[in-house]
Amino acid sequence: MKTNVLNFLRRACPYLLLVALWRLAVPVWNPAGILALIPIFYCSFVRPVPWFAGLSVIFCFLIDYNSNTLFFWTSLYCLIYALNGFQTFFDLPRAPNNALMPFSVFVGTGILILFFAHISWANLGRDIWTFVWLCALYEPITILIAGAQNDR
């Protein structure tokens, strides 16, 4: 019985963490639930989890809904998902630091595009903070997911 519960929690960890990070949206620390992009990126590209891509599209849409960006993160995710099909050029599962650099390019590109859509000093500060915060929390959250799945 105990083994069944642990196996369930191992398999459910990325899904539960995704829902929790999106749900814990706070304006400064997690605007529009954007921290959910960490498990979305990690479990879709670096360590693919079965059936996670469909849920990722739904949660990218929910992040768009919370932040009033019309299909922005959803479109960016679908573009990166399509580019990931060219695995001869991009080998994310073997990238160092759980693919922190490709994640920072993914998030940084999105934040930069959003900044140029609405240029102001307040947006610049908010966007820099969001980018630094996402990149700082990427490694601990991915270690948590990998540890829960006994992937390391």
Short mmCIF file of all heavy atoms in Angstrom, two decimals, residues 88-140:
data_model
loop_
_atom_site.label_atom_id
_atom_site.label_comp_id
_atom_site.label_asym_id
_atom_site.label_seq_id
_atom_site.Cartn_x
_atom_site.Cartn_y
_atom_site.Cartn_z
N THR A 88 18.57 17.36 -33.48
CA THR A 88 19.95 17.28 -33.94
C THR A 88 20.69 18.57 -33.62
O THR A 88 21.90 18.57 -33.46
CB THR A 88 20.01 17.01 -35.45
OG1 THR A 88 19.28 18.02 -36.14
CG2 THR A 88 19.45 15.64 -35.77
N PHE A 89 19.95 19.68 -33.52
CA PHE A 89 20.56 20.96 -33.20
C PHE A 89 20.48 21.27 -31.71
O PHE A 89 21.39 21.83 -31.13
CB PHE A 89 19.91 22.09 -33.99
CG PHE A 89 20.03 21.92 -35.47
CD1 PHE A 89 18.91 21.67 -36.23
CD2 PHE A 89 21.26 21.99 -36.09
CE1 PHE A 89 19.01 21.51 -37.60
CE2 PHE A 89 21.37 21.83 -37.46
CZ PHE A 89 20.25 21.58 -38.21
N PHE A 90 19.35 20.94 -31.10
CA PHE A 90 19.11 21.26 -29.70
C PHE A 90 18.99 19.97 -28.91
O PHE A 90 18.05 19.21 -29.13
CB PHE A 90 17.82 22.06 -29.53
CG PHE A 90 17.73 23.25 -30.43
CD1 PHE A 90 16.88 23.26 -31.52
CD2 PHE A 90 18.51 24.36 -30.19
CE1 PHE A 90 16.80 24.35 -32.35
CE2 PHE A 90 18.43 25.47 -31.01
CZ PHE A 90 17.57 25.46 -32.10
N ASP A 91 19.89 19.72 -28.00
CA ASP A 91 19.83 18.52 -27.18
C ASP A 91 19.61 18.94 -25.72
O ASP A 91 20.53 18.98 -24.92
CB ASP A 91 21.12 17.70 -27.32
CG ASP A 91 20.97 16.30 -26.75
OD1 ASP A 91 19.83 15.89 -26.49
OD2 ASP A 91 22.00 15.63 -26.59
N LEU A 92 18.37 19.28 -25.40
CA LEU A 92 18.06 19.80 -24.08
C LEU A 92 18.22 18.79 -22.96
O LEU A 92 18.63 19.18 -21.87
CB LEU A 92 16.64 20.38 -24.07
CG LEU A 92 16.45 21.61 -24.96
CD1 LEU A 92 15.02 22.08 -24.89
CD2 LEU A 92 17.40 22.71 -24.57
N PRO A 93 17.93 17.50 -23.14
CA PRO A 93 18.13 16.57 -22.03
C PRO A 93 19.59 16.46 -21.59
O PRO A 93 19.86 16.11 -20.45
CB PRO A 93 17.62 15.24 -22.57
CG PRO A 93 16.62 15.61 -23.59
CD PRO A 93 17.16 16.87 -24.21
N ARG A 94 20.54 16.77 -22.45
CA ARG A 94 21.95 16.68 -22.08
C ARG A 94 22.58 18.04 -21.78
O ARG A 94 23.79 18.13 -21.60
CB ARG A 94 22.73 15.98 -23.18
CG ARG A 94 22.29 14.55 -23.31
CD ARG A 94 23.13 13.82 -24.27
NE ARG A 94 22.55 12.50 -24.45
CZ ARG A 94 22.99 11.62 -25.27
NH1 ARG A 94 24.04 11.88 -26.00
NH2 ARG A 94 22.41 10.45 -25.37
N ALA A 95 21.79 19.07 -21.73
CA ALA A 95 22.31 20.41 -21.45
C ALA A 95 22.72 20.50 -19.98
O ALA A 95 22.09 19.89 -19.11
CB ALA A 95 21.27 21.46 -21.78
N PRO A 96 23.78 21.25 -19.67
CA PRO A 96 24.21 21.37 -18.27
C PRO A 96 23.23 22.20 -17.44
O PRO A 96 22.46 23.00 -17.96
CB PRO A 96 25.57 22.08 -18.38
CG PRO A 96 25.54 22.78 -19.69
CD PRO A 96 24.65 21.97 -20.58
N ASN A 97 23.28 21.97 -16.13
CA ASN A 97 22.44 22.69 -15.16
C ASN A 97 20.95 22.55 -15.44
O ASN A 97 20.18 23.50 -15.32
CB ASN A 97 22.81 24.17 -15.10
CG ASN A 97 24.21 24.39 -14.62
OD1 ASN A 97 24.74 23.62 -13.82
ND2 ASN A 97 24.84 25.44 -15.12
N ASN A 98 20.53 21.37 -15.83
CA ASN A 98 19.12 21.10 -16.14
C ASN A 98 18.57 22.04 -17.21
O ASN A 98 17.42 22.43 -17.18
CB ASN A 98 18.25 21.19 -14.89
CG ASN A 98 18.51 20.06 -13.93
OD1 ASN A 98 18.92 18.98 -14.34
ND2 ASN A 98 18.29 20.30 -12.66
N ALA A 99 19.43 22.44 -18.15
CA ALA A 99 19.06 23.31 -19.28
C ALA A 99 18.64 24.70 -18.81
O ALA A 99 17.67 25.28 -19.32
CB ALA A 99 17.99 22.66 -20.15
N LEU A 100 19.39 25.24 -17.87
CA LEU A 100 19.10 26.59 -17.38
C LEU A 100 19.28 27.64 -18.47
O LEU A 100 18.47 28.56 -18.59
CB LEU A 100 19.99 26.93 -16.17
CG LEU A 100 19.87 28.34 -15.63
CD1 LEU A 100 18.46 28.60 -15.13
CD2 LEU A 100 20.87 28.56 -14.51
N MET A 101 20.32 27.50 -19.28
CA MET A 101 20.56 28.49 -20.33
C MET A 101 19.44 28.51 -21.38
O MET A 101 18.93 29.59 -21.71
CB MET A 101 21.92 28.24 -21.00
CG MET A 101 22.30 29.31 -21.98
SD MET A 101 22.50 30.93 -21.23
CE MET A 101 24.07 30.71 -20.44
N PRO A 102 19.00 27.35 -21.90
CA PRO A 102 17.86 27.40 -22.84
C PRO A 102 16.58 27.93 -22.18
O PRO A 102 15.80 28.64 -22.83
CB PRO A 102 17.67 25.96 -23.29
CG PRO A 102 19.00 25.33 -23.09
CD PRO A 102 19.59 26.01 -21.89
N PHE A 103 16.38 27.63 -20.91
CA PHE A 103 15.21 28.16 -20.21
C PHE A 103 15.30 29.68 -20.10
O PHE A 103 14.30 30.38 -20.32
CB PHE A 103 15.08 27.54 -18.81
CG PHE A 103 13.97 28.16 -18.00
CD1 PHE A 103 12.66 27.86 -18.28
CD2 PHE A 103 14.26 29.05 -16.98
CE1 PHE A 103 11.63 28.43 -17.54
CE2 PHE A 103 13.24 29.62 -16.23
CZ PHE A 103 11.93 29.31 -16.52
N SER A 104 16.49 30.18 -19.78
CA SER A 104 16.63 31.64 -19.65
C SER A 104 16.46 32.33 -21.01
O SER A 104 15.94 33.44 -21.07
CB SER A 104 17.97 32.00 -19.01
OG SER A 104 19.04 31.57 -19.82
N VAL A 105 16.86 31.66 -22.09
CA VAL A 105 16.62 32.23 -23.43
C VAL A 105 15.12 32.23 -23.73
O VAL A 105 14.58 33.22 -24.24
CB VAL A 105 17.40 31.44 -24.50
CG1 VAL A 105 16.97 31.83 -25.90
CG2 VAL A 105 18.90 31.65 -24.33
N PHE A 106 14.44 31.15 -23.39
CA PHE A 106 12.99 31.05 -23.60
C PHE A 106 12.25 32.15 -22.84
O PHE A 106 11.46 32.90 -23.41
CB PHE A 106 12.51 29.65 -23.18
CG PHE A 106 11.03 29.49 -23.04
CD1 PHE A 106 10.20 29.55 -24.14
CD2 PHE A 106 10.47 29.26 -21.80
CE1 PHE A 106 8.83 29.38 -24.01
CE2 PHE A 106 9.10 29.09 -21.66
CZ PHE A 106 8.29 29.15 -22.76
N VAL A 107 12.53 32.26 -21.56
CA VAL A 107 11.83 33.23 -20.73
C VAL A 107 12.28 34.65 -21.07
O VAL A 107 11.47 35.57 -21.14
CB VAL A 107 12.05 32.91 -19.24
CG1 VAL A 107 11.53 34.01 -18.35
CG2 VAL A 107 11.37 31.61 -18.89
N GLY A 108 13.58 34.82 -21.27
CA GLY A 108 14.10 36.15 -21.58
C GLY A 108 13.54 36.71 -22.87
O GLY A 108 13.23 37.90 -22.97
N THR A 109 13.41 35.86 -23.88
CA THR A 109 12.82 36.30 -25.15
C THR A 109 11.38 36.75 -24.95
O THR A 109 10.97 37.80 -25.44
CB THR A 109 12.88 35.17 -26.19
OG1 THR A 109 14.24 34.76 -26.35
CG2 THR A 109 12.30 35.60 -27.51
N GLY A 110 10.64 35.96 -24.20
CA GLY A 110 9.25 36.33 -23.95
C GLY A 110 9.12 37.62 -23.16
O GLY A 110 8.31 38.49 -23.50
N ILE A 111 9.92 37.77 -22.12
CA ILE A 111 9.85 38.98 -21.31
C ILE A 111 10.32 40.20 -22.10
O ILE A 111 9.75 41.28 -21.98
CB ILE A 111 10.66 38.78 -20.01
CG1 ILE A 111 9.93 37.79 -19.10
CG2 ILE A 111 10.89 40.09 -19.29
CD1 ILE A 111 10.67 37.41 -17.86
N LEU A 112 11.33 40.02 -22.94
CA LEU A 112 11.82 41.12 -23.76
C LEU A 112 10.76 41.58 -24.77
O LEU A 112 10.56 42.79 -24.96
CB LEU A 112 13.10 40.71 -24.48
CG LEU A 112 13.90 41.81 -25.14
CD1 LEU A 112 14.45 42.76 -24.08
CD2 LEU A 112 15.03 41.22 -25.94
N ILE A 113 10.08 40.65 -25.38
CA ILE A 113 9.01 41.01 -26.33
C ILE A 113 7.89 41.75 -25.60
O ILE A 113 7.38 42.76 -26.09
CB ILE A 113 8.48 39.75 -27.05
CG1 ILE A 113 9.54 39.19 -27.99
CG2 ILE A 113 7.20 40.07 -27.82
CD1 ILE A 113 9.21 37.83 -28.55
N LEU A 114 7.53 41.26 -24.41
CA LEU A 114 6.49 41.94 -23.64
C LEU A 114 6.92 43.33 -23.20
O LEU A 114 6.11 44.25 -23.12
CB LEU A 114 6.10 41.10 -22.42
CG LEU A 114 5.30 39.84 -22.71
CD1 LEU A 114 5.07 39.05 -21.45
CD2 LEU A 114 3.97 40.19 -23.37
N PHE A 115 8.22 43.50 -22.89
CA PHE A 115 8.72 44.82 -22.50
C PHE A 115 8.60 45.80 -23.67
O PHE A 115 8.17 46.94 -23.49
CB PHE A 115 10.17 44.74 -22.03
CG PHE A 115 10.81 46.08 -21.88
CD1 PHE A 115 10.42 46.93 -20.85
CD2 PHE A 115 11.76 46.52 -22.78
CE1 PHE A 115 10.99 48.18 -20.72
CE2 PHE A 115 12.34 47.77 -22.65
CZ PHE A 115 11.95 48.61 -21.61
N PHE A 116 9.00 45.38 -24.87
CA PHE A 116 8.94 46.28 -26.01
C PHE A 116 7.51 46.56 -26.46
O PHE A 116 7.27 47.54 -27.18
CB PHE A 116 9.79 45.76 -27.17
CG PHE A 116 11.25 45.99 -26.96
CD1 PHE A 116 12.12 44.93 -26.89
CD2 PHE A 116 11.75 47.28 -26.81
CE1 PHE A 116 13.47 45.13 -26.70
CE2 PHE A 116 13.09 47.50 -26.61
CZ PHE A 116 13.96 46.42 -26.55
N ALA A 117 6.57 45.76 -26.04
CA ALA A 117 5.17 46.04 -26.33
C ALA A 117 4.65 47.20 -25.49
O ALA A 117 3.76 47.94 -25.92
CB ALA A 117 4.32 44.80 -26.11
N HIS A 118 5.19 47.35 -24.28
CA HIS A 118 4.77 48.42 -23.35
C HIS A 118 6.00 48.96 -22.65
O HIS A 118 6.29 48.59 -21.50
CB HIS A 118 3.78 47.88 -22.31
CG HIS A 118 2.59 47.22 -22.92
ND1 HIS A 118 1.57 47.92 -23.49
CD2 HIS A 118 2.27 45.92 -23.07
CE1 HIS A 118 0.67 47.09 -23.96
NE2 HIS A 118 1.07 45.86 -23.72
N ILE A 119 6.71 49.85 -23.31
CA ILE A 119 7.97 50.37 -22.76
C ILE A 119 7.69 51.40 -21.66
O ILE A 119 6.97 52.38 -21.90
CB ILE A 119 8.82 51.02 -23.87
CG1 ILE A 119 9.22 49.97 -24.90
CG2 ILE A 119 10.04 51.70 -23.29
CD1 ILE A 119 9.97 50.51 -26.08
N SER A 120 8.25 51.14 -20.49
CA SER A 120 8.23 52.10 -19.39
C SER A 120 9.27 51.66 -18.36
O SER A 120 9.72 50.52 -18.37
CB SER A 120 6.84 52.20 -18.74
OG SER A 120 6.57 51.05 -17.98
N TRP A 121 9.65 52.59 -17.50
CA TRP A 121 10.65 52.26 -16.47
C TRP A 121 10.10 51.25 -15.48
O TRP A 121 10.83 50.39 -14.99
CB TRP A 121 11.11 53.51 -15.74
CG TRP A 121 11.96 54.39 -16.60
CD1 TRP A 121 11.59 55.58 -17.16
CD2 TRP A 121 13.28 54.12 -17.04
NE1 TRP A 121 12.62 56.08 -17.91
CE2 TRP A 121 13.68 55.19 -17.85
CE3 TRP A 121 14.18 53.09 -16.83
CZ2 TRP A 121 14.93 55.26 -18.44
CZ3 TRP A 121 15.42 53.16 -17.42
CH2 TRP A 121 15.79 54.23 -18.21
N ALA A 122 8.83 51.36 -15.16
CA ALA A 122 8.22 50.40 -14.23
C ALA A 122 8.22 49.00 -14.82
O ALA A 122 8.53 48.02 -14.12
CB ALA A 122 6.80 50.84 -13.88
N ASN A 123 7.89 48.88 -16.09
CA ASN A 123 7.91 47.57 -16.75
C ASN A 123 9.32 47.01 -16.84
O ASN A 123 9.52 45.81 -16.73
CB ASN A 123 7.29 47.64 -18.14
CG ASN A 123 5.79 47.64 -18.10
OD1 ASN A 123 5.20 47.28 -17.09
ND2 ASN A 123 5.17 48.05 -19.17
N LEU A 124 10.30 47.89 -17.08
CA LEU A 124 11.68 47.43 -17.14
C LEU A 124 12.11 46.81 -15.80
O LEU A 124 12.66 45.71 -15.77
CB LEU A 124 12.62 48.59 -17.51
CG LEU A 124 14.11 48.24 -17.53
CD1 LEU A 124 14.39 47.23 -18.64
CD2 LEU A 124 14.94 49.49 -17.69
N GLY A 125 11.82 47.50 -14.71
CA GLY A 125 12.17 46.96 -13.39
C GLY A 125 11.44 45.67 -13.08
O GLY A 125 12.01 44.70 -12.58
N ARG A 126 10.15 45.63 -13.40
CA ARG A 126 9.35 44.44 -13.15
C ARG A 126 9.83 43.26 -14.00
O ARG A 126 9.92 42.12 -13.52
CB ARG A 126 7.88 44.74 -13.44
CG ARG A 126 6.93 43.66 -13.02
CD ARG A 126 5.47 44.05 -13.25
NE ARG A 126 5.17 45.38 -12.77
CZ ARG A 126 4.78 46.39 -13.57
NH1 ARG A 126 4.66 46.22 -14.86
NH2 ARG A 126 4.50 47.57 -13.06
N ASP A 127 10.18 43.53 -15.25
CA ASP A 127 10.64 42.47 -16.14
C ASP A 127 12.01 41.93 -15.73
O ASP A 127 12.25 40.72 -15.80
CB ASP A 127 10.67 42.96 -17.58
CG ASP A 127 9.28 43.19 -18.15
OD1 ASP A 127 8.30 42.69 -17.54
OD2 ASP A 127 9.17 43.85 -19.19
N ILE A 128 12.90 42.82 -15.32
CA ILE A 128 14.21 42.36 -14.84
C ILE A 128 14.03 41.51 -13.60
O ILE A 128 14.64 40.44 -13.47
CB ILE A 128 15.15 43.56 -14.59
CG1 ILE A 128 15.56 44.19 -15.91
CG2 ILE A 128 16.38 43.13 -13.79
CD1 ILE A 128 16.33 45.49 -15.76
N TRP A 129 13.19 41.96 -12.67
CA TRP A 129 12.94 41.19 -11.45
C TRP A 129 12.35 39.82 -11.78
O TRP A 129 12.78 38.80 -11.23
CB TRP A 129 12.02 41.96 -10.51
CG TRP A 129 11.43 41.08 -9.45
CD1 TRP A 129 10.14 40.66 -9.36
CD2 TRP A 129 12.13 40.49 -8.35
NE1 TRP A 129 9.99 39.85 -8.28
CE2 TRP A 129 11.20 39.72 -7.63
CE3 TRP A 129 13.45 40.52 -7.91
CZ2 TRP A 129 11.54 39.01 -6.49
CZ3 TRP A 129 13.77 39.81 -6.77
CH2 TRP A 129 12.83 39.06 -6.08
N THR A 130 11.39 39.78 -12.66
CA THR A 130 10.75 38.51 -13.02
C THR A 130 11.74 37.56 -13.66
O THR A 130 11.77 36.37 -13.33
CB THR A 130 9.56 38.77 -13.97
OG1 THR A 130 8.65 39.66 -13.34
CG2 THR A 130 8.85 37.48 -14.31
N PHE A 131 12.58 38.06 -14.55
CA PHE A 131 13.58 37.22 -15.22
C PHE A 131 14.58 36.66 -14.21
O PHE A 131 14.88 35.46 -14.21
CB PHE A 131 14.31 38.02 -16.30
CG PHE A 131 15.39 37.25 -16.98
CD1 PHE A 131 15.08 36.26 -17.88
CD2 PHE A 131 16.73 37.49 -16.68
CE1 PHE A 131 16.08 35.52 -18.52
CE2 PHE A 131 17.73 36.77 -17.30
CZ PHE A 131 17.41 35.79 -18.21
N VAL A 132 15.10 37.51 -13.33
CA VAL A 132 16.07 37.05 -12.33
C VAL A 132 15.42 36.05 -11.39
O VAL A 132 16.02 35.03 -11.03
CB VAL A 132 16.66 38.26 -11.57
CG1 VAL A 132 17.46 37.83 -10.36
CG2 VAL A 132 17.51 39.11 -12.50
N TRP A 133 14.20 36.31 -10.97
CA TRP A 133 13.49 35.43 -10.05
C TRP A 133 13.22 34.06 -10.68
O TRP A 133 13.40 33.03 -10.05
CB TRP A 133 12.21 36.11 -9.61
CG TRP A 133 11.45 35.42 -8.54
CD1 TRP A 133 10.18 34.95 -8.62
CD2 TRP A 133 11.89 35.13 -7.20
NE1 TRP A 133 9.80 34.38 -7.43
CE2 TRP A 133 10.83 34.49 -6.55
CE3 TRP A 133 13.06 35.35 -6.52
CZ2 TRP A 133 10.92 34.06 -5.22
CZ3 TRP A 133 13.15 34.93 -5.19
CH2 TRP A 133 12.09 34.30 -4.57
N LEU A 134 12.80 34.05 -11.93
CA LEU A 134 12.56 32.78 -12.63
C LEU A 134 13.85 31.98 -12.78
O LEU A 134 13.86 30.76 -12.54
CB LEU A 134 11.95 33.03 -14.00
CG LEU A 134 10.44 33.25 -14.06
CD1 LEU A 134 10.04 33.79 -15.41
CD2 LEU A 134 9.71 31.97 -13.77
N CYS A 135 14.92 32.63 -13.17
CA CYS A 135 16.19 31.92 -13.36
C CYS A 135 16.77 31.45 -12.03
O CYS A 135 17.40 30.39 -11.97
CB CYS A 135 17.19 32.81 -14.10
SG CYS A 135 16.73 33.06 -15.82
N ALA A 136 16.56 32.21 -10.96
CA ALA A 136 17.05 31.80 -9.65
C ALA A 136 16.29 30.60 -9.11
O ALA A 136 16.87 29.74 -8.43
CB ALA A 136 16.97 32.97 -8.67
N LEU A 137 15.01 30.53 -9.37
CA LEU A 137 14.20 29.42 -8.85
C LEU A 137 14.17 28.21 -9.77
O LEU A 137 13.63 27.17 -9.40
CB LEU A 137 12.77 29.89 -8.58
CG LEU A 137 12.61 30.82 -7.39
CD1 LEU A 137 11.16 31.22 -7.23
CD2 LEU A 137 13.12 30.17 -6.13
N TYR A 138 14.74 28.33 -10.96
CA TYR A 138 14.69 27.22 -11.91
C TYR A 138 15.42 25.98 -11.37
O TYR A 138 14.87 24.89 -11.38
CB TYR A 138 15.30 27.64 -13.26
CG TYR A 138 15.28 26.55 -14.28
CD1 TYR A 138 14.11 26.24 -14.95
CD2 TYR A 138 16.41 25.81 -14.58
CE1 TYR A 138 14.06 25.24 -15.89
CE2 TYR A 138 16.39 24.80 -15.52
CZ TYR A 138 15.21 24.52 -16.18
OH TYR A 138 15.17 23.52 -17.10
N GLU A 139 16.63 26.17 -10.91
CA GLU A 139 17.43 25.03 -10.44
C GLU A 139 16.80 24.33 -9.22
O GLU A 139 16.67 23.10 -9.24
CB GLU A 139 18.86 25.49 -10.14
CG GLU A 139 19.82 24.37 -9.92
CD GLU A 139 20.15 23.62 -11.21
OE1 GLU A 139 20.04 24.19 -12.30
OE2 GLU A 139 20.53 22.44 -11.09
N PRO A 140 16.38 25.06 -8.17
CA PRO A 140 15.75 24.34 -7.04
C PRO A 140 14.47 23.59 -7.40
O PRO A 140 14.23 22.48 -6.92
CB PRO A 140 15.45 25.44 -6.02
CG PRO A 140 16.30 26.58 -6.39
CD PRO A 140 16.55 26.47 -7.85
#
